[in-house]
Amino acid sequence: QVQLIESGGGSVQAGASLSLSCSSSDRAFTNYAASWFRQIPGKEREFVAAISWSGALTDYADSVKGRFTISRVNSKRTATLQMDSLKSDDTAVYYCAAGRVYAAPYLIKEVDHADVWGQGTQVTVSS
């Protein structure tokens, strides 16, 4: 089972940037689609951004389009979420997810479609 390790969370002011990383020591990660989800207490985990196993395809939640960028470097077994122009509404625990996706759109956008999850990292944006 692939294991995911997240890093990069923290507390920032509105308008600032943060970069989250999701890494794995398992070579199989290079064949997994990867995504970021986020969750605040009392609410369901929600989709943020997704990337296909090759990195050729990406998608974003409407709330983060134009501000967040997902990317990956398979040689380093790492997926990254660059978050710019952060807002207080972005405050949440962010989770990396990965899984094998063999059918279009080759992205993980639903919680149930992920095979493995990271431990979560807190992002706090103050206004």
Side-chain angles (χ1 to χ4, degrees):
Q1 184 84 329
V2 169
Q3 292 187 323
L4 306 176
I5 300 173
E6 300 152 356
S7 61
S11 297
V12 297
Q13 296 284 325
S17 298
L18 274 177
S19 181
L20 305 182
S21 290
C22 174
S23 62
S24 176
S25 60
D26 195 322
R27 192 179 305 175
F29 179 72
T30 61
N31 296 317
Y32 279 50
S35 295
W36 289 92
F37 290 76
R38 65 188 182 187
Q39 189 171 24
I40 61 176
K43 292 203 171 183
E44 293 185 353
R45 197 166 294 188
E46 67 172 10
F47 167 72
V48 175
I51 190 166
S52 60
W53 70 269
S54 68
L57 301 173
T58 60
D59 200 5
Y60 300 88
D62 288 343
S63 59
V64 306
K65 277 182 182 175
R67 300 188 298 121
F68 290 12
T69 303
I70 189 170
S71 61
R72 67 188 299 161
V73 180
N74 280 341
S75 61
K76 297 183 178 180
R77 300 168 194 164
T78 300
T80 300
L81 183 68
Q82 176 65 37
M83 305 185 293
D84 298 320
S85 302
L86 282 162
K87 305 175 181 179
S88 57
D89 287 348
D90 296 319
T91 295
V93 176
Y94 283 70
Y95 295 90
C96 179
R100 295 181 182 272
V101 182
Y102 298 116
Y106 305 104
L107 299 170
I108 298 171
K109 299 175 63 175
E110 302 288 338
V111 169
D112 291 347
H113 294 172
D115 295 326
V116 292
W117 292 86
Q119 78 282 4
T121 185
Q122 177 70 45
V123 171
T124 303
V125 184
S126 56
S127 57

